[in-house]
């Protein structure tokens, strides 16, 4: 596949590859060294995949995929939705899991659809708190449930591989909307389902 005329978001591919060569030189490398010749192309290809979320509209996607299920009114919990993202401060990976719960009001959506929503937000430069709120907000807008809870548990490579160098630390963020925010019993039921924290792993 030729990428010669590939321009994304106003940036010619050749220019993006040149930026990778600049960073290689900055790190102390010779971008002309044989082992590195294809690296700029591979990095730019990886960026296309890692940041494909900018081309996706989760609201539009959810609006097309919900199902009507009048009668089912118990909490639905999807846990351990794996994701990879990148922090917007260091462009370093954030790797973790998302747990989603909601109390439907006539509309539900399948697990694969919710995983797509998670990916659409994760495949961008992110702040974990913002991503957590974005996922909850999208579910709220699309399904208008009685309540939504989203918990994100992730490790940030900008913390584990540089700076404070703390391995095994994960950051947990949550957004609770509607009955998940207002009703302590609903929230407790959700948290019991996902058993986040020490117990499970
Ligand atoms: Zn960071």
């Amino acid at each position: 596949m030729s990428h010669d005329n590939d321009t994304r978001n106003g940036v010619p591919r050749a220019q993006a590859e040149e930026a990778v060569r600049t960073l290689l030189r900055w790190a102390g490398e010779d971008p002309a060294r044989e082992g590195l010749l294809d690296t700029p192309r591979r990095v730019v290809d990886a960026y296309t995949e890692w940041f494909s979320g900018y081309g996706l509209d989760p609201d539009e996607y959810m609006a097309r995929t919900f199902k009507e299920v009048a009668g089912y009114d118990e909490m639905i919990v999807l846990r351990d939705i794996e994701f990879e993202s990148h922090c917007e401060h260091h462009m370093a990976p954030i790797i973790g899991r998302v747990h989603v719960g909601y109390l439907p009001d006539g509309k539900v959506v399948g697990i694969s659809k919710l995983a797509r929503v998670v990916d659409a937000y994760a495949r961008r430069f992110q702040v974990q708190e913002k991503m957590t709120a974005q996922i909850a907000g999208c579910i709220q807008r699309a399904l208008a449930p009685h309540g939504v809870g989203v918990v994100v548990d992730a490790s940030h490579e900008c913390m584990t591989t540089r700076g404070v160098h703390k391995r095994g630390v994960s950051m947990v963020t949550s957004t609770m909307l509607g009955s998940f925010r207002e009703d302590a019993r609903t929230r407790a039921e959700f948290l019991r389902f996902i058993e986040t924290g020490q117990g499970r792993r």
Side-chain angles (χ1 to χ4, degrees), residues 2-60:
S2 167
H3 295 292
D4 292 347
N5 300 316
D6 189 1
T7 292
R8 292 175 75 88
N9 305 308
V11 180
R13 186 182 175 97
Q15 203 175 314
E17 292 185 1
E18 191 52 37
V20 176
R21 282 183 205 98
T22 301
L23 284 175
L24 285 168
R25 280 195 294 275
W26 172 263
E29 263 296 351
D30 170 12
R33 183 165 69 75
E34 195 179 352
L36 292 172
L37 286 178
D38 284 335
T39 298
R41 176 182 59 77
R42 292 194 194 99
V43 171
V44 170
D45 281 346
Y47 263 54
T48 306
E49 187 174 340
W50 287 335
F51 303 107
S52 58
Y54 292 105
L56 302 171
D57 181 350
D59 279 312
E60 191 253 353

Side-chain angles (χ1 to χ4, degrees), residues 173-192:
T173 49
S174 68
T175 297
M176 303 285 168
L177 302 176
S179 59
F180 281 59
R181 173 182 284 270
E182 287 142 25
D183 182 349
R185 280 173 51 206
T186 300
R187 188 166 58 247
E189 184 185 353
F190 171 55
L191 295 176
R192 205 162 46 241

Side-chain angles (χ1 to χ4, degrees), residues 121-138:
Y121 288 117
R123 291 179 185 175
R124 303 177 186 197
F125 290 105
Q126 273 293 6
V127 174
Q128 186 175 322
E129 295 89 330
K130 182 174 80 178
M131 189 178 94
T132 309
Q134 284 174 328
I135 295 165
C138 180

Side-chain angles (χ1 to χ4, degrees), residues 160-171:
T160 58
T161 67
R162 56 162 292 287
V164 293
H165 290 275
K166 292 288 176 247
R167 298 264 170 135
V169 173
S170 70
M171 177 169 160

Side-chain angles (χ1 to χ4, degrees), residues 87-92 156 158-159 162:
C87 82
E88 68 179 35
H89 302 129
H90 302 92
M91 300 162 70
H156 293 235
C158 59
M159 266 184 71
R162 56 162 292 287

Side-chain angles (χ1 to χ4, degrees), residues 102-116:
Y102 62 101
L103 207 47
D105 186 10
K107 293 180 188 174
V108 301
V109 72
I111 185 168
S112 65
K113 316 296 182 192
L114 279 177
R116 291 267 304 259

